[in-house]
């Protein structure tokens, strides 16, 4: 089932976990302007950075994604927050698939590369008994990809849904 949590509840949980660890509390991947890292400061947690195209990190480049993976192994963040782009997996993308197949296919390839990286990082966190969050619309097609199905099938991953817009 789905559960609802507030940012304050999440912050208290992470802060209590950090009392037992002296490590990076969180890393954001596809974090846009890094709002969660800023929120971490409220709880006096150490943020390990925000890896996003707008911060100069192009995770479509294999050398950049490998640097990120090495950074994760080195810093051992307690939580990794990931919001992979959902454009290629949104329900409206099906219209684009019919009207502009070349554009759709290009967007889909990009989306799949980043989705596979997201799953890879989630597995790294699982194997190290650490946490991750993946933010995407509940009905996003990203969750139908094989790598996500395998992640859910692990039995170690739960799902939390909460409304993000007023529509």
């Amino acid at each position: 089932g789905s559960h609802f949590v507030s940012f304050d509840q999440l912050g208290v949980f992470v802060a209590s976990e950090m009392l037992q660890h002296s490590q990076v509390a969180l890393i954001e991947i596809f974090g846009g302007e890094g709002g969660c890292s800023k929120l971490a400061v409220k709880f006096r947690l150490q943020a390990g950075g925000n890896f996003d195209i707008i911060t100069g990190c192009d995770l479509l480049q294999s050398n950049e994604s490998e640097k990120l993976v090495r950074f994760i192994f080195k810093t051992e963040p307690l939580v990794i927050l990931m919001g992979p782009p959902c454009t290629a997996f949104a329900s409206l993308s099906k219209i684009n698939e019919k009207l502009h197949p070349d554009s759709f296919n290009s967007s889909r390839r990009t989306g799949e590369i980043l989705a596979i990286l997201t799953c890879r990082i989630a597995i790294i966190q699982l194997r190290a008994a650490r946490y991750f969050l993946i933010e995407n619309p509940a009905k996003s097609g990203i969750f139908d990809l094989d790598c996500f199905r395998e992640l859910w099938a692990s039995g170690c991953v739960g799902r939390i849904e909460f409304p993000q817009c007023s529509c």
Side-chain angles (χ1 to χ4, degrees), residues 68-79:
L68 173 59
V69 168
R70 286 193 301 273
F71 182 77
I72 291 167
F73 278 114
K74 180 181 176 187
T75 59
E76 300 179 332
L78 180 64
V79 179

Side-chain angles (χ1 to χ4, degrees), residues 101-118:
D102 292 340
S103 173
F104 169 82
N105 288 331
S106 175
S107 175
R108 183 67 180 216
R109 277 191 300 277
T110 295
E112 287 180 2
I113 290 168
L114 298 175
I116 290 167
L117 176 62
T118 298

Side-chain angles (χ1 to χ4, degrees), residues 105-156:
N105 288 331
S106 175
S107 175
R108 183 67 180 216
R109 277 191 300 277
T110 295
E112 287 180 2
I113 290 168
L114 298 175
I116 290 167
L117 176 62
T118 298
C119 287
R120 179 180 175 199
I121 291 167
I123 289 167
I124 290 168
Q125 288 293 100
L126 279 176
R127 288 182 178 159
R130 297 189 305 257
Y131 306 97
F132 66 90
L133 295 159
I134 299 171
E135 183 274 325
N136 237 249
K139 296 185 192 248
S140 172
I142 199 170
F143 300 120
D144 295 327
L145 296 175
D146 289 343
C147 63
F148 275 93
R149 289 175 190 252
E150 291 170 20
L151 196 56
W152 304 146
S154 73
C156 299

Side-chain angles (χ1 to χ4, degrees):
S2 299
H3 304 281
F4 293 92
V5 292
S6 70
F7 282 113
D8 287 338
Q9 290 170 322
L10 180 61
V12 168
F13 167 74
V14 172
S16 68
E17 285 291 304
M18 289 309 297
L19 293 175
Q20 302 167 25
H21 306 290
S22 60
Q23 68 190 84
V24 169
L26 68 92
I27 288 177
E28 287 184 85
I29 302 172
F30 317 112
E33 295 181 11
C36 292
S37 293
K38 293 171 188 171
L39 182 64
V41 172
K42 174 182 175 183
F43 294 99
R44 298 178 186 204
L45 302 173
Q46 181 179 352
N50 175 28
F51 301 87
D52 190 286
I53 192 70
I54 70 167
T55 63
C57 184
D58 184 356
L59 294 172
L60 289 172
Q61 303 299 316
S62 60
N63 63 326
E64 291 288 303
S65 60
E66 288 308 313
K67 283 181 193 175
L68 173 59
V69 168
R70 286 193 301 273
F71 182 77
I72 291 167
F73 278 114
K74 180 181 176 187
T75 59
E76 300 179 332
L78 180 64
V79 179
I80 297 181
L81 309 172
M82 299 177 277
C86 61
T87 307
F89 305 103
S91 33
L92 289 177
S93 72
K94 295 188 185 322
I95 296 169
N96 198 28
E97 182 177 19
K98 292 183 193 316
L99 297 177
H100 307 285
D102 292 340
S103 173
F104 169 82
N105 288 331
S106 175
S107 175
R108 183 67 180 216
R109 277 191 300 277
T110 295
E112 287 180 2
I113 290 168
L114 298 175
I116 290 167
L117 176 62
T118 298
C119 287
R120 179 180 175 199
I121 291 167
I123 289 167
I124 290 168
Q125 288 293 100
L126 279 176
R127 288 182 178 159
R130 297 189 305 257
Y131 306 97
F132 66 90
L133 295 159
I134 299 171
E135 183 274 325
N136 237 249
K139 296 185 192 248
S140 172
I142 199 170
F143 300 120
D144 295 327
L145 296 175
D146 289 343
C147 63
F148 275 93
R149 289 175 190 252
E150 291 170 20
L151 196 56
W152 304 146
S154 73
C156 299
V157 178
R159 180 180 181 127
I160 299 172
E161 290 183 29
F162 57 92
Q164 288 188 293
C165 30
S166 59
C167 49

